């Protein structure tokens, strides 16, 4: 259909939603890298500690070192994407991720491993900003929640893939510290396996179109029309005018453009930051970074602990599919409230369960029915997170800011998320030494505070066009 036939007031049905879904899936693969990298270390934790002879404190830093790179990558990704485009950032992220995977597999000490993981973190942080922004910008309003949720589906699928690979490699080698049949230590192959998804992400990033909003910004209007016609449909000319109006007079966006009357920032930016922080302060990544070690500490064998972690990751995938089905029907805010309430209850159960643990040889042991209670509560907790705070926060971050500040504000919120993730991941080994009940008790408090925050401060965005965001 020609551009002329799209002019005027005619509004066509969405052109090719199948094409839109495929493009969104390709962009969301950045989330797969995110999930894969942040979880692949799960199966290596004990082996790395034994290999390099490091303390729990140093181990916590090595595990969370990628998150520092993530914060930096997220911080700069927005301004870079505004200047050079979304796709270029994706391609650079794929290259950095592959380099990190190879370097981590060849690490010679704890410091080198931490350094390589910081490089990988730069890639993950950038991808975590670009994917939700890009998906929001190429999606029809009525599909934006579901397509935005693909980011979280990719994350949890990456987590599952990493845990499954960890499990298979550990089984083939008789443990993460063992040697696989084709040569090399299992934990090193766990890190090396990340090269494949990095390559796939890079290739797909070369195949998808640039964001129409970025194309309008750099005066490639005809190309932007073609992208909108293919992916969004409707009155393309009118949509181009709306985008142009929302970008009118826009100069390069800097962090100072986020300043406002609420403790130095715009109120909407604080909402994004706090959504990100609460998403991490409920302790979800403790499950994915330390679950194998955690379950071993309460009586599971290494093999059973890894298998339990794989099962937990499958639970997360299923619940994300539930969120995708519901987010455009019942809305973002109700899902967040349901999730926060459910996490508060399940985390409280885990707090009570782990508070009953007895210490045997410096390791907590659950007795009686408490181990079963803890296992059920943890999977229920993952369910409530997976159908709410996991996907919905990314959906909101991709759509809640206006066109002018979207990439930069999202970058700030994502950087805050990674810093919160780093804080939780680094502090967990130390908190666990005091008592797992203390750790899960803190996460329970934050889940309750998250409920109050959403109730008071978060506005619904379901069905609204991006150009209508304040």
């Amino acid at each position: 259909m020609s551009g002329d036939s799209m002019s005027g007031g005619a509004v066509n049905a969405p052109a090719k939603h199948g094409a839109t879904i495929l493009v969104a899936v390709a962009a969301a693969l950045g989330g797969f890298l995110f999930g894969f990298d942040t979880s692949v270390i799960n199966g290596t934790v004990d082996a790395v500690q034994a290999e390099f002879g490091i303390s729990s404190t140093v181990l916590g830093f090595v595990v969370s070192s990628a998150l520092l790179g993530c914060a930096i990558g997220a911080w700069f990704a927005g301004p870079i994407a505004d200047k050079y485009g979304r796709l270029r950032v994706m391609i650079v992220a794929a290259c950095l991720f592959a380099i990190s995977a190879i370097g981590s597999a060849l690490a010679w000490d704890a410091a080198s491993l931490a350094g390589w993981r910081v490089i990988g973190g730069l890639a993950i942080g950038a991808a975590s900003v670009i994917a939700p922004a890009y998906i929001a910008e190429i999606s029809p309003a009525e599909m934006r929640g579901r397509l935005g949720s693909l980011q979280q589906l990719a994350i949890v699928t990456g987590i599952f893939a990493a845990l499954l690979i960890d499990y298979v490699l550990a089984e083939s080698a008789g443990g993460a510290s063992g040697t696989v049949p084709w040569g090399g230590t299992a934990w090193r192959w766990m890190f090396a396996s990340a090269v494949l998804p990095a390559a796939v992400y890079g290739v797909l990033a070369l195949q998808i179109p640039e964001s129409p909003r970025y194309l309008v910004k750099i005066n490639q209007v005809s190309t932007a029309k073609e992208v909108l016609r293919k992916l969004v449909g409707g009155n393309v000319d009118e949509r181009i005018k709306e985008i142009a109006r929302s970008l009118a007079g826009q100069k390069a966006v800097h962090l100072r453009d986020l300043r406002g009357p609420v403790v130095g920032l715009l109120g909407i930016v604080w909402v994004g930051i706090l959504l990100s922080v609460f998403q991490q302060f409920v302790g979800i990544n403790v499950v994915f970074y330390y679950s194998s070690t955690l379950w071993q500490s309460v009586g599971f064998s290494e093999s059973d602990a890894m298998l339990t972690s794989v099962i937990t990751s499958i639970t997360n995938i299923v619940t994300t599919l539930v969120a995708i089905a519901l987010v455009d029907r019942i809305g973002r805010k109700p899902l967040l409230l349901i999730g926060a309430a459910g996490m508060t209850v399940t985390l409280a159960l885990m707090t009570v369960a782990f508070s009953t643990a007895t210490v045997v040889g410096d390791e907590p042991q659950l007795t009686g029915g408490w181990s079963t209670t803890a296992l059920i509560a943890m999977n229920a907790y993952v369910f409530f997170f997976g159908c709410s705070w996991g996907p919905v926060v990314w959906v909101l971050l991709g759509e809640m800011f206006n066109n002018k500040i979207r990439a930069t504000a999202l970058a700030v919120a994502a950087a805050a998320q990674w810093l919160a993730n780093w804080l939780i991941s680094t502090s967990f080994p130390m908190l666990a030494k005091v008592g797992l009940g203390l750790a899960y008790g803190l996460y329970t408090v934050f889940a309750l505070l998250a409920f109050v925050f959403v109730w008071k401060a978060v506005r619904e965005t379901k069905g609204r066009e991006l150009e209508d965001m304040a």
Side-chain angles (χ1 to χ4, degrees), residues 69-80 125-126 129 255 407-408 411-416 418-419:
C70 290
I72 297 170
W75 185 268
F76 289 104
I80 292 173
V129 169
L255 292 174
T408 302
V412 171
W418 289 114
L419 287 174

Side-chain angles (χ1 to χ4, degrees), residues 159-210:
I159 289 170
F160 166 72
L163 292 174
L164 182 60
I165 288 172
D166 284 359
Y167 175 72
V168 170
L169 288 170
E171 284 291 292
S172 68
S177 297
T179 302
V180 295
W182 54 91
T185 309
W187 70 264
R188 293 184 182 275
W189 279 106
M190 292 175 186
F191 285 123
S193 65
V195 171
L196 181 58
V200 172
Y201 181 54
V203 170
L204 288 177
L206 292 170
Q207 310 303 316
I208 61 179
E210 183 55 85

Side-chain angles (χ1 to χ4, degrees), residues 41 44-50 52 54-65 110 113 290 293 425-426 429:
I41 200 167
T44 73
V45 170
D46 291 337
V48 166
Q49 186 171 23
F52 300 135
I54 54 180
S55 67
S56 295
T57 301
V58 175
L59 177 66
F61 179 79
V62 171
V63 169
S64 61
S65 57
L113 177 57
Y290 293 103
T293 299
S425 302
T426 304

Side-chain angles (χ1 to χ4, degrees), residues 415-426:
Q417 183 174 132
W418 289 114
L419 287 174
N421 192 337
W422 175 81
L423 181 60
I424 291 296
S425 302
T426 304

Side-chain angles (χ1 to χ4, degrees), residues 25 52 92 94 97 119 169 175 208 221 235 245 250 256 270 273 277 285 301 351 357 381 409 450 455:
V25 167
F52 300 135
V92 171
F97 191 78
I119 291 174
L169 288 170
I208 61 179
V221 176
N235 192 329
R245 280 196 296 269
Q250 180 178 340
R256 62 175 176 269
W270 275 118
I273 289 172
V277 169
N285 280 309
S301 66
T351 300
Y381 160 70
W455 183 268

